[in-house]
C-alpha cells in the first residue's frame, strides 16, 4: 500500500506541474487556448475530482494509522485537520454545483499545504523544527521513504496541491441556449 500511495503522490505532483506549466504557457504566450481547453475538458468535474483526491488522502491516512499502526505526529494531525473536512466541503460543493466552493475550500487546502511543506522540510532539515513536535512521535523521522523522497508529508502536500489546482480549474462552463451567443467571462468564470 505504501508504494501505491507513493505512486499516487508522484502522479499528483506530475498533474500539478503539468497544470502550472499550462498556466505559465498561457501567461508567457498570451494565449489561453490550451488552458481553456483543459478547463473545458474538466468542466464541472473538477470539484468532484478534488473530492476524490481528498477522499483518497483521508482513507490513506486512516489506513496508515489504523491498519498499518503508524502513530501520527503533531504536524500529521494538523494536516489531517485540514484534509478531513475537505471531503465533506468538496462533496457538498460538487453536489450543489456551488461555484463558490473555491472560496471556502481553497484556504483550508492552502493551510494544509503549508503545514505539509513545513513538515517535509523538517524531515530533510531537522534543525528547522521549532519545538512543534517535542513530545511524542518525532516529526523529523519519516515512517515512509519511498523512491528516496516520498514521505507521508510529501503525499499530503501533493494531495493539497492537486486539490488547489483542481479548484482553480473548477470554472463551470455552461453552454448558452441554442441561438444565443455565449457571454464572455472573466477569470472566475462569471459572465461579464
Amino acid at each position: 500500500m505504501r508504494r501505491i500511495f507513493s505512486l499516487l503522490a508522484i502522479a499528483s505532483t506530475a498533474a500539478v506541474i503539468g497544470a502550472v506549466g499550462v498556466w505559465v504557457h498561457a501567461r508567457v504566450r498570451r494565449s489561453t487556448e490550451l488552458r481553456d481547453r483543459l478547463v473545458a475538458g474538466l468542466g464541472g468535474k473538477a470539484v468532484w475530482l478534488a473530492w476524490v483526491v481528498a477522499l483518497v488522502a483521508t482513507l490513506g491516512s486512516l489506513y496508515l494509522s489504523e491498519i498499518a499502526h503508524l502513530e501520527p505526529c503533531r504536524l500529521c494531525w494538523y494536516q489531517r485537520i485540514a484534509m478531513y473536512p475537505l471531503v465533506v466541503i468538496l462533496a457538498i460543493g460538487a453536489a450543489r454545483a456551488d461555484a463558490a466552493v473555491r472560496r471556502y475550500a481553497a484556504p483550508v487546502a492552502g493551510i494544509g499545504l503549508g503545514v505539509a511543506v513545513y513538515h517535509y522540510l523538517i524531515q530533510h532539515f531537522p534543525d528547522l523544527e521549532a519545538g512543534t513536535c517535542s513530545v511524542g512521535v518525532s516529526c523529523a523521522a519519516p515512517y515512509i521513504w519511498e523512491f528516496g523522497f516520498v514521505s507521508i508529508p510529501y503525499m499530503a502536500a501533493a494531495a493539497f496541491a492537486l486539490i488547489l489546482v483542481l479548484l482553480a480549474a473548477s470554472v463551470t462552463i455552461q453552454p448558452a441556449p441554442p441561438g444565443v451567443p455565449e457571454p464572455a467571462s472573466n477569470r472566475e468564470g462569471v459572465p461579464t
Side-chain angles (χ1 to χ4, degrees):
M1 286 305 292
R2 294 174 184 201
R3 176 101 4 144
I4 291 170
F5 294 147
S6 298
L7 290 171
L8 287 172
I10 292 169
S12 297
T13 303
V16 169
I17 291 170
V20 170
V22 167
W23 181 82
V24 169
H25 178 268
R27 298 290 279 184
V28 169
R29 299 282 184 177
R30 297 186 190 269
S31 169
T32 61
E33 181 184 345
L34 183 59
R35 184 195 68 200
D36 292 345
R37 282 194 336 213
L38 177 67
V39 170
L42 287 172
K45 295 176 261 184
V47 177
W48 281 114
L49 290 172
W51 172 76
V52 168
V53 172
L55 181 64
V56 170
T58 297
L59 294 174
S61 76
L62 289 171
Y63 170 84
L64 291 174
S65 64
E66 301 304 316
I67 296 172
H69 303 292
L70 302 178
E71 187 178 344
C73 70
R74 184 173 289 173
L75 289 177
C76 287
W77 275 112
Y78 293 157
Q79 292 162 72
R80 286 174 173 212
I81 289 168
M83 186 63 74
Y84 290 9
L86 285 174
V87 175
V88 176
I89 292 169
L90 292 169
I92 292 170
R96 297 184 68 203
D98 184 1
V101 70
R102 292 183 294 173
R103 291 189 181 123
Y104 42 89
V108 176
I111 290 167
L113 177 61
V115 173
V117 168
Y118 174 64
H119 191 181
Y120 189 66
L121 286 172
I122 287 175
Q123 289 182 332
H124 284 283
F125 308 103
D127 292 340
L128 292 176
E129 204 275 310
T132 308
C133 288
S134 58
V135 178
V137 179
S138 171
C139 292
Y143 283 133
I144 295 174
W145 201 252
E146 292 288 331
F147 308 115
F149 68 98
V150 177
S151 64
I152 295 172
Y154 179 92
M155 294 176 199
F160 283 122
L162 185 55
I163 289 168
L164 286 169
V165 164
L166 289 166
L167 288 173
S170 68
V171 176
T172 304
I173 299 172
Q174 297 179 358
V180 177
E182 292 191 28
S185 62
N186 61 18
R187 286 184 176 186
E188 297 295 320
V190 178
T192 54

